[in-house]
Amino acid sequence: MTADHLRREEWAVTLPSLGWLLALFAAPTLLVFAVSFRPADPYGGIGAGWTLATLREMARTPLGPVIARTVRLSALTTAICLALAIPCGTCLARVAPRRQAVLLLLVVVPFWTSFLIRVFAWRMLLHPEGPLKRVLVTVGLADPHTQLLYSEPAVLLVMVYTFLPFAILPIYAAAEKFDLALLEAARDLGAGPWGAFVKVFLPGIGRGVLTATLMVLIPALGSYVIPDLVGGPGQDMLGNRIAQRAFSDRNLPQASALSAALTLAALAPMALAALVQRRPPALEAAARKEAA
Amino acid sequence: MATDGFLIFENVTKRFGAHAAVDGVSVGVQKGEVFSLLGPSGCGKTTLLRIAAGLETPDEGRVWLDGEDITDLPPERRRVNTVFQNYALFPHLTVAENIAFGPRAAGWPRARIREEVDRMLALVQLTDQAGKKPRMLSGGQKQRVAIARALINQPRVLLLDEPLAALDLKLRQRMLVELDLIHDEVGITFVYVTHDQGEAMGLSDRIAVMNRGRIEQIGRPAEIYEAPRTGFVAAFIGDTNFLEGRVEEHLGDNYCRLGVEGFPDIECFNDTGRPPGEPVCLSVRPEKIRISRERPEPAPHVNVVPARVADAIYLGTHTRFWVRVGRHRVAVWQPHARFLLDERPIRWGDEVWISWHGDDGFMLERFSGADAALVATPPERIGAANGGVAP
């Protein structure tokens, strides 16, 4: 079997998913970009012709604080998720197969309940009269006037809760493939337990960590239900602004322009990840020089 | 310390559940020697090595290195390094970075690290591969990186866990020579774990043959081969004939007369003073037995037995015969030191005489059936002791 033959077969296998991606992902995204340059129609539709009015309008709106909050909350969510997922995923990969199946099920089980219902459950838990508040007050960790719900920490908490499984699963997959003998080799060569973890284990599961980062960061950047339901009036994120433009203002070009901006912002970390994964030869040569 | 040496295991026992992987082992490795732990898989040799490395903690006993008790030291604080069976090279680091791992962890100055890495790369002949990742290397190259990565730390003892097992035969033979050269050059103590008797014999100063978590015999390769102390050692190292019989009478001069069914009286060296009547298993190596058409001249202590050739395999350097004596099958290897075509070769069905000197037989305890499964050539394939009657 020749290489060309193999390639043609590969194409045949890849084509359906490629078509799916083009029709349902690339085309709509381009559509959103295009709509940003159309005028708004007073009835909530899209007018005829092309205009830069929407972009000018967007430039006039003070979006700075919203963008800062969106990036801050997403970055914090990603960091906390990773910090929790690395030990969790590693343990998952190490336990006996039978227990592993049960634990993996526990990670996935929340998906069986609607996302909205789970966020509403958090509203109940964090409610001023809710169980969590009562426990905290009884134990003496919070005073009765503390506001749990409608605060930025509440948004962060629910975001971490929501996205944690997306971080655990790729890290578990990477940790399961990791060869434990490498840790023994590191210890044998004089690295302490922490040194072996940082210098050998983390690079070993690097791809898993990268995937987990993308799986959490990108949806976190676009989240709007969580800040809407458990955040206060000052806690809206970019997603909320888009929803507002689309549903309340019924201004689709404005919503599209914001969405496009968010898409570009989300693509940036992915492009960076792609760059890191495919280290150019120059970087590798530099690493070699450093090693020698 | 009852045992002396540079690296000492003193009564070391390691259990996994109820199973004792290492069972009360005491052995002293001398400074600068190549010491092999040889045995079938599951005999505890790797566990013993991992105890020396600090990767396993013994349940009982102590480990000493250069007079210091290292039993409770973590691996990173022991001056021993390991060449792992599958090399365990760090996939995200280049060859040079892999070799520099230990010195970096130890915080050597950069200039010294660079210098030593270069020296090690030259030693294992990988200078031109320094910038490659391990996955781009061949098996033999990976193996050499693993050795360099361990040696750069200047360990007092280098532990090698089946380092050649993953290589093909040709490469294994070449690496064996290279390992020997490296040992000569660096002069540090090697502890070498292997299940391959050829590797152990070729490389070692001394060998400890292990079975079921215990050491069966320690000695120089020739001692182990020529004077095995147990049936297991005799069968595991090389090939041998086992003949079951009993001691009939002592003949003086440390010899005794053995009775083996189907054989005339057999004379055998008896330095262990086995009493008459004791059942024994006589082990005679096939290359110690001579085969001829004419009856050999009688000589003191030489056993001469009539036989019939049941099978002959010509191998160029020697011929392997299987001859029948009564219900026994006996392996005999005849070397060809002279031009064979001028002679009249012995063939299948020929009536022959086999003979061996009484010093070449060893009386051992009976070989247990469970051990038979562990050795490369079970005795029933060679001798007839366990019922290997030719059809």
Side-chain angles (χ1 to χ4, degrees):
Chain A
M1 194 192 284
T2 64
D4 286 50
H5 194 79
L6 198 76
R7 193 155 298 167
R8 208 179 311 145
E9 269 178 13
E10 278 175 355
W11 269 109
V13 172
T14 317
L15 219 52
S17 46
L18 203 67
W20 189 86
L21 267 178
L22 278 174
L24 297 172
F25 177 76
T29 306
L30 287 175
L31 225 67
V32 166
F33 275 79
V35 168
S36 316
F37 297 97
R38 306 293 286 271
D41 157 304
Y43 307 107
I46 299 158
W50 299 91
T51 174
L52 287 173
T54 315
L55 291 186
R56 259 184 251 125
E57 167 89 26
M58 197 169 82
R60 272 200 302 279
T61 337
L63 282 171
V66 179
I67 291 173
R69 190 161 43 244
T70 303
V71 170
R72 182 174 66 239
L73 277 171
S74 304
L76 269 173
T77 302
T78 310
I80 295 172
C81 279
L82 284 181
L84 293 173
I86 289 172
C88 283
T90 309
C91 288
L92 262 177
R94 295 286 160 260
V95 296
R98 270 185 78 149
R99 191 177 293 174
Q100 191 178 56
V102 175
L103 290 175
L104 271 175
L105 197 68
L106 287 179
V107 173
V108 182
V109 135
F111 293 119
W112 293 357
T113 311
S114 152
F115 166 60
L116 267 178
I117 289 173
R118 284 182 284 136
V119 178
F120 266 99
W122 273 107
R123 274 168 70 95
M124 298 295 131
L125 285 171
L126 296 170
H127 196 269
E129 302 293 321
L132 199 62
K133 174 78 173 288
R134 243 177 284 160
V135 169
L136 286 178
V137 171
T138 318
V139 178
L141 278 173
D143 86 313
H145 302 293
T146 318
Q147 175 77 12
L148 290 182
L149 199 55
Y150 308 128
S151 66
E152 200 171 300
V155 176
L156 186 63
L157 176 69
V158 178
M159 280 175 77
V160 168
Y161 158 80
T162 305
F163 295 119
L164 191 56
F166 296 104
I168 290 180
L169 293 177
I171 286 175
Y172 153 75
E176 204 189 23
K177 272 183 248 143
F178 183 81
D179 178 9
L180 272 190
L182 294 180
L183 284 184
E184 292 189 339
R187 295 290 300 277
D188 185 77
L189 291 167
W194 177 249
F197 176 78
V198 173
K199 285 188 216 148
V200 175
F201 185 68
L202 282 188
I205 61 162
R207 285 201 170 209
V209 174
L210 204 67
T211 310
T213 305
L214 294 180
M215 296 278 279
V216 173
L217 184 62
I218 288 168
L221 281 171
S223 52
Y224 83 95
V225 170
I226 296 166
D228 204 46
L229 291 179
V230 300
Q235 266 90 50
D236 55 347
M237 292 168 69
L238 218 49
N240 301 95
R241 289 292 166 92
I242 297 171
Q244 194 191 346
R245 297 280 186 277
F247 302 141
S248 317
D249 304 355
R250 297 179 62 75
N251 187 333
L252 283 183
Q254 286 269 354
S256 294
L258 275 177
S259 296
L262 187 61
T263 305
L264 289 177
L267 278 176
M270 276 180 74
L272 204 73
L275 212 71
V276 171
Q277 280 197 325
R278 203 186 48 199
R279 282 213 301 185
L283 268 175
E284 204 131 297
R288 191 181 323 156
K289 203 178 280 172
E290 192 202 349
Chain B
M1 281 180 271
T3 327
D4 79 331
F6 188 62
L7 172 67
I8 299 165
F9 298 91
E10 188 187 351
N11 253 324
V12 170
T13 296
K14 174 71 186 178
R15 292 184 198 90
F16 295 111
H19 168 71
V22 174
D23 193 2
V25 165
S26 291
V27 58
V29 178
Q30 303 303 322
K31 190 168 184 168
E33 75 175 336
V34 178
F35 188 88
S36 286
L37 297 170
L38 174 64
S41 58
C43 72
K45 56 192 191 300
T46 294
T47 306
L48 197 60
L49 193 83
R50 289 171 59 83
I51 288 171
L55 300 170
E56 303 282 357
T57 318
D59 295 314
E60 287 160 35
R62 312 302 298 171
V63 184
W64 306 78
L65 178 62
D66 200 10
E68 184 196 359
D69 184 345
I70 60 164
T71 318
D72 300 317
L73 281 186
E76 65 268 24
R77 294 193 35 216
R78 298 183 181 207
R79 295 224 32 205
V80 300
N81 288 109
T82 309
V83 176
F84 291 87
Q85 183 167 5
N86 293 313
Y87 320 131
L89 299 181
F90 304 124
H92 62 292
L93 300 179
T94 63
V95 167
E97 286 166 333
N98 262 285
I99 297 174
F101 191 93
R104 280 183 183 172
W108 292 11
R110 279 172 153 269
R112 183 168 165 224
I113 294 178
R114 196 171 310 140
E115 200 176 296
E116 285 294 308
V117 168
D118 284 344
R119 206 170 67 81
M120 279 299 147
L121 283 169
L123 177 72
V124 296
Q125 298 162 31
L126 284 175
T127 306
D128 51 338
Q129 313 286 330
K132 283 194 185 164
K133 291 281 175 66
R135 69 186 136 78
M136 294 157 80
L137 302 180
S138 69
Q141 289 172 329
K142 283 183 193 166
Q143 219 266 329
R144 296 209 293 264
V145 177
I147 291 171
R149 187 180 70 171
L151 280 179
I152 195 171
N153 307 291
Q154 295 163 352
R156 304 226 171 121
V157 178
L158 183 69
L159 307 171
L160 301 108
D161 185 7
E162 304 251 5
L164 309 182
L167 305 178
D168 60 56
L169 182 66
K170 269 272 157 56
L171 201 52
R172 203 151 63 215
Q173 289 168 344
R174 230 185 63 204
M175 287 306 301
L176 201 60
V177 175
E178 285 190 35
L179 268 180
D180 206 13
L181 291 176
I182 288 172
H183 178 258
D184 289 347
E185 192 152 334
V186 296
I188 55 174
T189 312
F190 278 28
V191 176
Y192 190 97
V193 161
T194 182
H195 69 275
D196 184 315
Q197 45 138 331
E199 279 175 28
M201 302 277 270
L203 194 64
S204 318
D205 295 307
R206 286 194 304 152
I207 298 174
V209 182
M210 288 187 73
N211 185 28
R212 300 163 177 274
R214 293 169 176 278
I215 289 180
E216 298 252 337
Q217 188 172 355
I218 301 177
R220 286 182 287 110
E223 279 171 7
I224 299 249
Y225 184 82
E226 296 285 338
R229 217 170 293 145
T230 66
F232 177 82
V233 175
F236 190 74
I237 315 284
D239 293 314
T240 194
N241 293 295
F242 282 109
L243 301 168
E244 272 181 37
R246 66 178 65 240
V247 179
E248 296 287 354
E249 64 168 327
H250 286 200
L251 298 171
D253 293 344
N254 282 334
Y255 288 87
C256 68
R257 190 165 59 80
L258 291 182
V260 176
E261 193 210 322
F263 279 77
D265 288 346
I266 290 172
E267 238 183 271
C268 184
F269 189 60
N270 180 15
D271 59 340
T272 44
R274 289 175 192 269
E278 186 177 301
V280 292
C281 200
L282 178 70
S283 155
V284 189
R285 300 269 185 208
E287 78 278 9
K288 307 284 190 200
I289 305 177
R290 283 155 191 255
I291 185 166
S292 59
R293 276 218 180 71
E294 289 77 39
R295 184 181 181 134
E297 292 295 309
H301 308 308
V302 173
N303 302 295
V304 177
V305 179
R308 174 196 283 268
V309 176
D311 210 345
I313 300 176
Y314 174 66
L315 292 167
T317 55
H318 65 284
T319 300
R320 294 187 176 189
F321 293 101
W322 276 267
V323 301
R324 285 178 70 173
V325 179
R327 53 176 278 270
H328 298 276
R329 246 160 86 93
V330 178
V332 179
W333 295 354
Q334 182 193 35
H336 301 309
R338 298 183 49 198
F339 190 61
L340 188 66
L341 296 182
D342 288 348
E343 293 170 21
R344 198 159 57 90
I346 297 169
R347 283 208 286 228
W348 177 82
D350 286 356
E351 298 288 342
V352 293
W353 294 89
I354 60 171
S355 64
W356 71 93
H357 195 275
D359 290 353
D360 290 328
F362 286 90
M363 294 185 294
L364 305 165
E365 86 289 6
R366 283 189 60 167
F367 196 88
S368 89
D371 282 342
L374 296 175
V375 298
T377 320
E380 63 264 33
R381 292 269 180 80
I382 305 162
N386 292 324
V389 181

